[in-house]
Amino acid sequence: MYAISKKSKYALRALAELARRYNQGPVLIAELSARQHIPKKFLELILLELRNQGILGSKKGKGGGYFLARTPSGISLGEIIRALDGPLAPVPCVSQTAYRTCEECNDEATCGIREVMQDVRDATTKILDQESLADMLRREELLEQKRNRVPVYAI
Amino acid sequence: MYAISKKSKYALRALAELARRYNQGPVLIAELSARQHIPKKFLELILLELRNQGILGSKKGKGGGYFLARTPSGISLGEIIRALDGPLAPVPCVSQTAYRTCEECNDEATCGIREVMQDVRDATTKILDQESLADMLRREELLEQKRNRVPVYAI
DNA sequence: ATCTAGTCTATCTACTGGATAGACTATTAA
DNA sequence: TTAATAGTCTATCCAGTAGATAGACTAGAT
């Protein structure tokens, strides 16, 4: 089913990098592309979209580049994914941000599928809307520490 | 993002109908198609696939048709969706049933995105693998009752 | 035997995800 | 003020998939 597109995944990685370097000035597309192994031209489109959505800011000319428009704790993963992949809901009829009726549903009010899908939506938005870029970086730090405590004894 | 395809949605509706008529003999594709407003030829493919996966049984010839291979409480929504749409995981690198490494991930063990997506996967599989067809029908009954208790006073 | 109904293969169209090319424009440092 | 730099935008492109349809084939019931 694979709900997250490559686009969003690339975006998350690029934004994580920008969050790590928050307040250290603009970062070049070329640099992000190289460090995160993201096709440069594709990344351009992604960053542009994120800028239009108010998540990123940019600066042109020499010394320019992209930077977070807000603090890393003020940007949620849910917001990022919604910006690029649209609504988080598994089916249109349970979307909060882009509701659309199922044309063939005999009666939406008593549809069991819908109720279950609503639960799924609630569960995923709860996670993704709570989790900020800052939270995600914190997770990475913890994972890093954990790995260092459990070294792999191999040559 | 819309994780559930029409195929799965059609399947859920058809299976709900078959669950409602469990132990009442085979049901014709044509009848399922008509009652649930599902394109007949498309439904054929879906039912065939579900049969190959051991979720449905079929009987040929006059008086034939499709029927549930197991009891409605023994078939989970997760199983159905997996059969038609593949793994429930939002990204391949957190799938239990079809793990695939992210080719460009610098270090999967410390990937924050991955950890969050794991949480999302856990949350959705918890719901979908717990919920059986029987549970879903029960939900519909409850919704029905609820509606009858809150009548709409309109002409 | 023959009718009925499921099975299977092939095919089609439209759409979308992922990606690339290249011209254009704004900024800034020299 | 101009050359270099770096972001912006539009146009495409290709492959794969979703959704759907057609028709021949096969097994079973009566």
Side-chain angles (χ1 to χ4, degrees), chain A residues 1 90-91 104 113 117, chain B residues 2-16 38 42-43 45-47 49-50 55 76-88 128 133 136:
Chain A
M1 106 174 190
V91 283
E104 313 139 338
I113 302 177
M117 291 307 155
Chain B
Y2 297 147
I4 307 291
S5 68
K6 274 198 174 179
K7 206 168 173 182
S8 286
K9 226 164 80 182
Y10 287 157
L12 290 173
R13 294 164 55 142
L15 288 169
I38 303 171
F42 195 27
L43 181 57
L45 293 183
I46 294 168
L47 297 181
E49 203 158 343
L50 291 171
I55 295 173
S76 74
L77 302 202
E79 183 181 2
I80 298 165
I81 296 172
R82 277 204 194 84
L84 298 172
D85 283 352
L88 297 178
L128 295 176
L133 283 176
M136 195 170 79

Side-chain angles (χ1 to χ4, degrees), chain A residues 147-155:
Chain A
R147 185 178 52 184
N148 291 341
R149 282 202 304 279
V150 186
V152 178
Y153 292 108
I155 300 181

Side-chain angles (χ1 to χ4, degrees), chain B residues 134-150:
Chain B
D135 295 329
M136 195 170 79
L137 292 189
R138 180 81 192 124
R139 277 178 195 261
E140 301 204 334
E141 283 166 27
L142 289 175
L143 286 169
E144 192 77 44
Q145 285 173 23
K146 191 173 159 195
R147 185 178 52 185
N148 292 341
R149 281 202 305 279
V150 185

Side-chain angles (χ1 to χ4, degrees), chain A residues 3-91:
Chain A
I4 306 292
S5 67
K6 273 198 175 180
K7 206 169 173 181
S8 285
K9 225 163 81 182
Y10 286 157
L12 291 174
R13 294 163 55 140
L15 288 169
E17 174 94 19
L18 289 175
R20 248 175 261 123
R21 303 166 64 167
Y22 186 59
N23 267 338
Q24 296 173 30
V27 180
L28 295 185
I29 293 185
E31 194 182 338
L32 283 175
S33 155
R35 291 175 69 123
Q36 297 296 328
H37 313 111
I38 304 170
K40 183 161 174 257
K41 278 297 191 177
F42 194 28
L43 182 57
E44 249 182 43
L45 293 182
I46 295 168
L47 297 181
L48 191 55
E49 203 158 343
L50 291 171
R51 203 204 56 145
N52 292 337
Q53 305 264 356
I55 295 173
L56 289 180
S58 65
K59 188 161 181 277
K60 289 189 173 184
K62 192 159 197 171
Y66 279 96
F67 50 89
L68 293 191
R70 281 172 272 145
T71 171
S73 60
I75 301 175
S76 75
L77 303 201
E79 182 181 2
I80 298 165
I81 296 171
R82 278 204 192 83
L84 297 172
D85 283 351
L88 297 179
V91 283

Side-chain angles (χ1 to χ4, degrees), chain B residues 59-116:
Chain B
K59 187 162 182 274
K60 288 189 175 184
K62 194 161 195 172
Y66 279 96
F67 50 89
L68 293 191
R70 282 171 271 147
T71 172
S73 58
I75 301 175
S76 74
L77 302 202
E79 183 181 2
I80 298 165
I81 296 172
R82 277 204 194 84
L84 298 172
D85 283 352
L88 297 178
V91 283
C93 71
V94 300
S95 169
Q96 296 163 312
T97 57
Y99 169 84
R100 256 182 28 238
T101 175
C102 315
E103 52 287 329
E104 312 141 339
C105 197
N106 291 326
D107 179 12
E108 209 166 77
T110 62
C111 176
I113 302 176
R114 183 160 186 263
E115 218 193 22
V116 179

